[in-house]
Structure formats: structure tokens, C-alpha cells
Amino acid sequence: MKQYLLSVYQPDGDPPPPEILDPIMEELGKLNAEMQAAGAWVFALGLHPASTATVIRDEMLTDGPFTEGKEHLGGFTVIQAPDLDAALEWGRRMSAILRPPLAIEVRPVV
């Protein structure tokens, strides 16, 4: 099976308050468990805010994210699926849980 990266892009700024975020994380946990049971889930992780990043370019270190923008990579899940259509279905289900303004990018792993 091929592997796919499901990237979660989120807007800069503070996360939603617990009364909004907690139910979303609970549903995301259920989806992760379903992916595990189906043999699709490889691993997932969340990232600290982009402001904690350090970029190395030509041996020079700079603080902050690589690019200026209004959203950043907030976390990702690696799955395995028989084809892109199956990976897109997992991504669609994740997107339905995370709702706008969060976006899910599905990309094959080399």
C-alpha cells in the first residue's frame, strides 16, 4: 500500500477555547481509532505554533516559520491506503471533523 500525508493547515493565532476544541479533538480521536482498526493509520502528531520554529538556510539560523503567512502547518497524519481515492476519503472525513477554516492537504509519500 502507498503512504499519504494528511497535513492540517490552521490559521495563526490562539487555538479555539476548550468548549470548541475538546469535542473536535474527541471526534478526531475516534477517526484515528477507526483508521487504526482499518489498518490505514501509520502515525499522527501535532506541532507547536509556527512561532517556535527555527529555520536553517545556508548555515544561518532564523527564528519563526519559513514563510510569512496567515496559516501554518499545525500537524499531520501519515496513512497507508490502496490508492489516492481511499486516501482522499480519509482526508475528507478528517476535514469534516476539523471544519473550516482548517484545510487538509492530501499528498502521496515518495
Side-chain angles (χ1 to χ4, degrees):
M1 277 207 240
K2 295 179 183 178
Q3 290 187 339
Y4 296 86
L5 177 69
L6 308 181
S7 302
V8 179
Y9 288 92
Q10 64 189 54
D12 287 334
D14 294 330
E19 61 269 14
I20 294 174
L21 186 58
D22 290 350
I24 292 170
M25 295 308 292
E26 183 178 331
E27 289 300 312
L28 191 56
K30 290 176 186 176
L31 180 62
N32 284 341
E34 190 174 336
M35 285 190 275
Q36 289 172 356
W41 192 87
V42 177
F43 72 94
L45 55 87
L47 300 171
H48 285 279
S51 61
T52 65
T54 302
V55 177
I56 303 170
R57 183 188 314 214
D58 296 328
E59 299 182 32
M60 180 183 292
L61 301 176
T62 57
D63 291 335
F66 175 67
T67 60
E68 294 292 325
K70 295 183 180 185
E71 62 182 20
H72 61 275
L73 181 63
F76 61 86
T77 300
V78 175
I79 63 168
Q80 53 189 16
D83 54 38
L84 179 60
D85 289 336
L88 289 172
E89 179 60 21
W90 288 117
R92 184 199 63 74
R93 293 185 59 201
M94 183 180 287
S95 178
I97 292 169
L98 297 177
R99 300 180 200 79
L102 301 184
I104 306 298
E105 176 184 80
V106 178
R107 187 183 297 189
V109 174
V110 177

